[in-house]
């Protein structure tokens, strides 16, 4: 499990699957007419896939692996987190924070719906012309940075999952946490149909699964994994059937060919900047999230505008992937050095995640972004940074120092095997009810 969930493994899984999918699509391109149509629309050519691009991607992975290995060799024995969590306080606080996030999002939708003539008219407009509806929503943002509230929903869902994995919980506490998972999943299933931010649902599903595996220190919940895959594919098909109404095809045909196109498009974005001479942006992509959160993005966008505009010639749909963004920003030498530092830092967080719930929640969100890093550099995006800071802040407010006691088995993602003594769950103390948790009634066994 430890090797499978490590950051380098997640990165290799992502790029291996994406590269294989793109290669299979290009090998059977003559049978995929819609893929050809989408490629002509974005002006993608096969000449971008050069040996130089492949060499850089291999060098980038090697640089990341060197940083990862350096962190493994140099790390000290981590301290065990013996802080006690007031689970009642934590559940109520997480629920309140999540309610604010959902409330701001609902108010945003209500404001846009009022200008569209009502919620029914807004839904009808989304079905007829999703792009116009998206523009309407973006024009009616409540305040600057409001979309961070919407983008933080995967973070609170990940935190709720971590709390559900801590032990046998009182019914009302478990109800609050499950309601967070259900509410956020529904919100991120419905809104991306219009907003085209399906990565948020993917971020939620992946981070929740990763944090559950980290808490158990083993892969668990295969049934939940299959449900998550089905849920995301349902969202994908629904979005594509609405945004491509002119194609007289079945939803399944449109959705699968659009997915195949995205794999080719992502690889093209990864290769194209490496086939020609480009202007480097010196952090304009990799540090964009930090610029946004420090309100300096406008200043740097003005300075880097000519360079960013020139990059549009080597950018298809979407964004540059993580490994290529480092090259676009810093060039081959400094880009490799930047990736090495990134590998070192993420591996350090992963090692801490074995002994701390705070680092486990943080790494689950980071690891989820690594699993679609061939699509974008979401790892450095302000949405992810804000989400991580928010969840860590909630945990900080719920920690207490005294006390340490082992916990019973999980009520969620529960394993048939005996609890390992060195798991993360056994190292975290809880304070959630007047009577000791050791005397609490165990829930009935649930299939993972």
């Amino acid at each position: 499990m430890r090797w499978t969930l490590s950051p380098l493994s997640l990165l290799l899984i992502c790029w291996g699957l994406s590269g294989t999918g793109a290669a299979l699509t290009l090998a059977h391109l003559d049978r995929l007419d819609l893929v050809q149509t989408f490629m002509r629309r974005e002006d993608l050519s096969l000449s971008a896939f050069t040996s130089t691009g492949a060499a850089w991607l291999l060098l980038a992975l090697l640089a990341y692996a060197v940083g990862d290995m350096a962190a493994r060799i140099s790390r000290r024995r981590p301290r065990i987190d013996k802080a006690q969590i007031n689970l009642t306080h934590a559940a109520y606080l997480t629920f309140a924070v999540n309610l604010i996030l959902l409330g701001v999002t609902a108010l945003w939708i209500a404001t846009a719906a009022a200008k569209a003539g009502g919620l029914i008219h807004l839904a009808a407009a989304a079905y007829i012309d999703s792009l116009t509806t998206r523009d309407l929503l973006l024009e009616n943002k409540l305040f600057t940075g409001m979309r961070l509230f919407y983008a933080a929903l995967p973070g609170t869902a990940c935190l709720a999952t971590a709390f559900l994995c801590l032990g046998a919980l009182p019914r009302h506490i478990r109800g609050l946490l499950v309601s967070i998972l259900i509410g956020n999943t529904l919100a991120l299933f419905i809104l991306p149909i219009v907003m085209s931010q399906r990565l948020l649902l993917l971020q939620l599903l992946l981070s929740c699964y990763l944090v559950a595996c980290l808490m158990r220190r083993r892969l668990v919940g295969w049934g939940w994994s299959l449900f998550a895959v089905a849920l995301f594919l349902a969202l994908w098909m629904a979005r594509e059937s609405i945004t491509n109404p002119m194609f007289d095809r079945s939803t399944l045909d449109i959705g699968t060919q659009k997915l195949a196109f995205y794999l080719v498009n992502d690889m093209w974005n990864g290769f194209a900047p490496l086939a020609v001479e480009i202007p480097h942006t010196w952090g304009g992509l990799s540090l964009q999230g930090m610029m946004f959160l420090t309100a300096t993005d406008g200043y740097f966008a003005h300075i880097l505008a000519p360079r960013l505009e020139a990059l549009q010639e080597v950018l298809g749909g979407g964004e540059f992937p993580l490994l290529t963004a480092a090259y676009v920003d810093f060039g081959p030498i400094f880009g490799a050095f930047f990736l090495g530092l990134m590998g070192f830092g993420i591996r350090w967080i992963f090692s801490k995640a074995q002994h701390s719930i705070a680092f486990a929640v943080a790494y689950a969100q980071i690891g989820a972004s690594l699993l679609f890093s061939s699509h974008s550099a979401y790892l450095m995006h302000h949405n992810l940074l804000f989400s991580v800071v928010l969840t860590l802040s909630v945990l900080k407010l719920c920690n207490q120092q005294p006390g340490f006691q082992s916990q019973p088995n999980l009520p969620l993602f529960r394993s048939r095997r005996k609890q390992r003594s060195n798991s993360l769950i056994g190292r975290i103390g809880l304070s959630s009810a007047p009577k000791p948790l050791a005397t609490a009634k165990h829930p009935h066994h649930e299939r993972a």
Side-chain angles (χ1 to χ4, degrees):
M1 187 287 302
R2 182 180 176 87
W3 184 89
T4 305
L5 298 183
S6 68
L8 183 57
S9 297
L10 298 182
L11 196 66
L12 292 175
I13 290 171
C14 170
W15 283 83
L17 292 177
S18 299
T20 302
L24 290 175
T25 300
L26 294 177
H28 301 86
L29 194 58
D30 55 330
R31 305 178 186 176
L32 304 171
D33 56 332
L34 290 185
V35 175
Q36 297 178 45
T37 300
F38 295 137
M39 289 180 65
R40 286 193 296 268
R41 181 186 298 176
E42 297 295 340
D43 196 22
L44 306 186
S45 63
L46 299 182
S47 60
F49 296 97
T50 62
S51 57
T52 303
W56 161 253
L57 293 179
L58 290 176
L59 176 62
L61 287 171
L62 179 61
Y64 185 95
V66 169
D68 184 272
M69 182 63 69
R72 293 179 61 185
I73 295 175
S74 64
R75 73 182 185 194
R76 298 179 180 178
R77 186 174 182 179
R79 293 183 303 174
I80 296 178
D81 185 3
K82 295 184 178 181
Q84 189 177 42
I85 296 177
N86 187 326
L87 193 54
T88 300
H89 182 204
Y92 281 118
L93 182 59
T94 304
F95 182 81
V97 170
N98 193 74
L99 197 61
I100 294 174
L101 301 180
L102 287 175
V104 170
T105 304
L107 184 60
W108 173 37
I109 301 299
T111 302
K115 294 190 177 182
L119 190 59
I120 296 179
H121 288 82
L122 182 65
Y127 182 78
I128 297 172
D129 189 352
S130 62
L131 295 179
T132 302
T133 308
R134 179 187 179 186
D135 293 338
L136 176 64
L137 288 169
L138 294 178
E139 291 171 0
N140 288 276
K141 290 187 295 185
L142 303 179
F143 50 86
T144 302
M146 186 218 71
R147 293 177 71 185
L148 289 175
F149 285 66
Y150 167 46
L153 292 176
T156 49
C158 178
L159 186 59
T161 303
F163 289 149
L164 283 168
C165 291
L166 279 178
L169 309 176
R171 180 175 298 178
H172 68 286
I173 297 296
R174 187 166 58 251
L176 288 177
L177 298 175
V178 171
S179 69
I180 292 174
L181 288 176
I182 295 175
N184 291 11
T185 302
L186 287 176
L188 294 180
F189 181 83
I190 297 173
L191 289 178
I193 295 178
V194 178
M195 290 301 298
S196 186
Q197 285 188 305
R198 288 168 285 191
L199 286 184
L200 291 179
L201 179 62
L202 188 60
Q203 175 75 11
L204 182 149
L205 298 173
L206 291 174
S207 61
C208 289
Y209 180 71
L210 287 177
V211 80
C213 293
L214 286 169
M215 301 294 287
R216 290 292 298 184
R217 299 198 67 180
R218 57 193 306 271
L219 299 177
V220 295
W222 289 107
W224 292 99
S225 303
L226 296 176
F227 171 76
V229 171
L231 188 66
F232 181 75
L233 289 179
L235 171 60
W236 182 277
M237 297 297 176
R239 168 69 183 175
E240 295 306 326
S241 64
I242 292 176
T243 55
N244 296 280
M246 299 182 65
F247 292 113
D248 188 16
R249 302 288 186 89
S250 66
T251 300
L252 181 61
D253 187 23
I254 296 174
T256 51
Q257 291 209 43
K258 192 63 175 291
L259 180 59
F261 161 73
Y262 265 97
L263 293 176
V264 174
N265 179 80
D266 292 343
M267 287 296 104
W268 194 90
N269 286 339
F271 275 81
L274 305 163
V276 296
E277 189 71 23
I278 61 168
H280 297 296
T281 49
W282 303 111
L285 301 177
S286 301
L287 303 180
Q288 185 181 15
M290 294 297 298
M291 295 176 186
F292 183 88
L293 295 178
T294 55
T296 58
D297 56 319
Y299 172 76
F300 287 105
H302 176 71
I303 295 176
L304 298 172
R307 294 173 177 267
L308 294 173
E309 185 176 353
L311 289 174
Q312 295 304 312
E313 297 181 2
V314 291
L315 182 64
E319 307 173 16
F320 292 114
L322 180 66
L323 300 181
T324 303
Y327 171 84
V328 173
D329 267 339
F330 306 109
I333 298 177
F334 291 107
F337 181 73
F338 178 79
L339 288 171
L341 289 178
M342 185 184 299
F344 185 94
I346 296 177
R347 182 72 197 201
W348 178 80
I349 294 174
F350 175 68
S351 64
K352 291 282 188 178
Q354 314 300 312
H355 308 276
S356 167
I357 184 175
F359 281 95
V361 171
Y363 177 73
Q365 298 176 75
I366 293 171
S369 69
L370 289 177
L371 282 171
F372 53 84
S373 59
S374 61
H375 178 71
S376 70
Y378 190 75
L379 177 65
M380 312 301 295
H381 199 275
H382 45 267
N383 286 349
L384 180 65
L385 298 179
F386 177 77
S387 182
V388 171
V389 170
L390 180 66
T391 52
L392 294 184
S393 300
V394 172
L395 278 170
K396 184 66 175 178
L397 293 174
C398 303
N399 280 356
Q400 298 175 349
Q401 292 304 317
F404 174 82
Q405 61 187 70
S406 60
Q407 297 305 317
N409 289 334
L410 301 177
L412 187 66
F413 299 111
R414 190 173 177 180
S415 172
R416 295 179 183 273
R417 299 183 184 181
K418 185 178 180 180
Q419 176 65 43
R420 294 177 60 176
S421 60
N422 63 341
S423 67
L424 176 58
I425 302 166
R427 297 190 178 115
I428 301 173
L430 300 181
S431 174
S432 59
K435 61 181 180 179
L437 285 175
T439 61
K441 184 179 179 180
H442 285 244
H444 293 294
H445 177 76
E446 299 178 8
R447 181 179 297 274

